[in-house]
Structures are given as structure tokens and as C-alpha cells.
Amino acid sequence: SDCWPVDNIHSNHRFVASYEEAVGLALRSGVDLDCGNTFQDFGRLAYDESLLDEDDIDEALSRLFRVLMDLGYFDETDEPDAKSSDDEMEHDQLALEAALQSIVLLKNGINEDEPGPLPLSLAKHKEIALFGPLADNQTVLLGNYHGLPSTIVTPLMGLAKMGVEVAFRQRASVCDFHGESATILVVGLDQSLEAEDQDRTTLLLPVEQRDLIKTISRCSKVRDLPVVLVVVSGGMVDLSRYKNSSDIDAMIHMSYPGQNGGSALAQVLYGAYNPSGKLVGTMYPESYLNEVSLHDMRMRPD
């Protein structure tokens, strides 16, 4: 099960009158394993009250042990366990491919009459300015409920691996350029802003990121530098102001891309991979929050 659903059958949903009834109902309905402690705390009481019997328990145990045997849990083997397999080359390549396929190109060019800056060229854009709190943040790339890879490639690391000379500033309150030929901003959300039990109250980027984008994009335009905005998030973000802004030349969205997210981004930016991902949700404007009630379960505007 997911965590605490057997408990919820009684405590929140009030579908049955007691926890032991919840245990009996769940087990007899095919829930063999409880993520929680309701089975442990009330299983014996459910048995004593004849809400389940030995046959029910045996059937659940048989299915659980069958899965363990199918997975080789009881086999004698010299093979490494699942934790160490994260480092295998084929898995690393799979992580890269997944990140590449998930990247979405949202904008490339101010208008249809002018070509956009992407892909960048190593000949023309060998030196770039990189800004943003997510440009060299390893943890944010993994999202949540993740394994622990031995190597996590950030956008800064991925660009450097491609041979790009990167001038990195995580934050900047003034224009600080020294001959770079393009600007890349990497912003977005993290688990402090969106997570289980951590709902957002706005569709906008954090205010300090919006200020950073405004400052750096305008400084870049004064120097005639193309500006690429990269947004990393799991949930949808209102990006309408950047889609319509002449200060932003191109825009990319990455869901939390995993251990090779930085390598994937670098390949997309410099044309080694053609982005073809699609958004997993609709990016509504911030005004949507005021137009549609959160209690409207149709979850869509009229």
C-alpha cells in the first residue's frame, strides 16, 4: 500500500467503525503489505474477532514471499545489490536519455521573423555567463523519492564538460560581464517550495528569481547578448511574462531531470540533441488562482 491508507479507512474516511475492521477489510481485499503500523498494531485483534483468519494471512504471506523469491532475495549470488547498480554505465546512460527526452523547448526567438539563438555554437558562444540558484545545485536535480547516484551533473558541470568556458555567478545585483557571448539563467523550484505536504500559494517564480531575471536579461540586452532562460520545476509555473518578453530570447523547461540533468541541458543548448519533450501539465497564468476555486473539482477553467 501507500503509507497510512489502512489507518485512513477508519481514522479519516470512517468507512468502518474500528482499526481492526480496517485491517480485516484491507487484508481480505488483497492488501498484503501495510505502509504504516495498522497491521502490526491491530492485526492480532482483527484475528481474535474473526475479522480475518489463518487462510487470509497465509495467502497474503505467500504472495509477499513469492515476490521476494522472484526478485532473487533468497538467492546466493556474488552480484552487487540494487544500491550499487546505480553506478553501472548503462544505468547512467539511461538517466541521460530520460533527461534528454524530458526537456521541453518553450521559446526560441522573439518573433517568427527572426531565428532564435538555439542551438548555441561552440565556435560563436565558447564563453557564456551563467546565472541562477539552480545552475550548480546538485540536490534540486533529483526531486524527491530518489536514489543516491555517485555523480550528479549540474548545468555548470555539464557545460564545462562540453568545453564551454563558463563565468558563473549564482546571484547578481549589478551587471557583471567580461566578454561573454551569451547569457544562460537557470531558475525554478525545489523541495522547499513544492513537495508532499508543501503546497504552493502562487504560480510565479520566487520574487528574488524574478528580480534576477529582470536585472540580468536587461543587462544582457544592452550588450546584445542572447538570453536563454532555463526553468527547473516539478509543478507548473507561470512563465507568460517571459514568453512575451523581448528580453528573453529562448526558454527551456526541465522537470527535475536526475543525475545527468546538467549534461542533458548542455547537449540541448549546443545542438547535440534536438529537444522534443512535451509539458506534463498546462502552464496557467497567475490570474488562474483568482478565477478558479481550489474547491472546484473539475480542475479546469470554464
Side-chain angles (χ1 to χ4, degrees), residues 262-277:
S263 296
L265 177 62
Q267 289 190 28
V268 167
L269 289 173
Y270 280 86
Y273 187 89
N274 189 26
S276 58

Side-chain angles (χ1 to χ4, degrees), residues 288 291-302:
Y288 174 78
E291 296 169 358
V292 180
S293 169
L294 290 177
H295 301 292
D296 186 345
M297 291 296 102
R298 291 176 302 168
M299 302 179 73
R300 66 189 66 216
D302 293 331

Side-chain angles (χ1 to χ4, degrees), residues 226-242:
V227 178
V228 181
L229 178 63
V230 180
V231 181
V232 181
S233 71
M236 297 296 99
V237 181
D238 179 4
L239 301 175
S240 55
R241 67 178 64 189
Y242 309 118

Side-chain angles (χ1 to χ4, degrees), residues 189-195 198-200 256:
L189 309 179
D190 60 25
Q191 296 304 293
S192 70
L193 298 171
E194 57 171 4
Q198 182 65 43
D199 292 340
R200 289 186 289 152
Y256 301 119

Side-chain angles (χ1 to χ4, degrees), residues 84-96 259-260:
S84 63
S85 67
D86 285 347
D87 293 323
E88 292 185 9
M89 187 175 298
E90 61 182 285
H91 294 173
D92 190 67
Q93 182 61 36
L94 180 61
L96 173 61
Q259 66 192 59
N260 278 327

Side-chain angles (χ1 to χ4, degrees), residues 9 13 15 102 105 113 140 143 150 167 169 177 207 211 235 240 254 276 284 300:
I9 292 173
H13 303 316
F15 188 74
S102 69
L105 179 64
D113 298 328
V140 71
S150 61
R169 299 104 170 168
F177 292 87
V207 62
D211 290 342
S240 55
M254 291 201 305
S276 58
Y284 288 111
R300 66 189 66 216

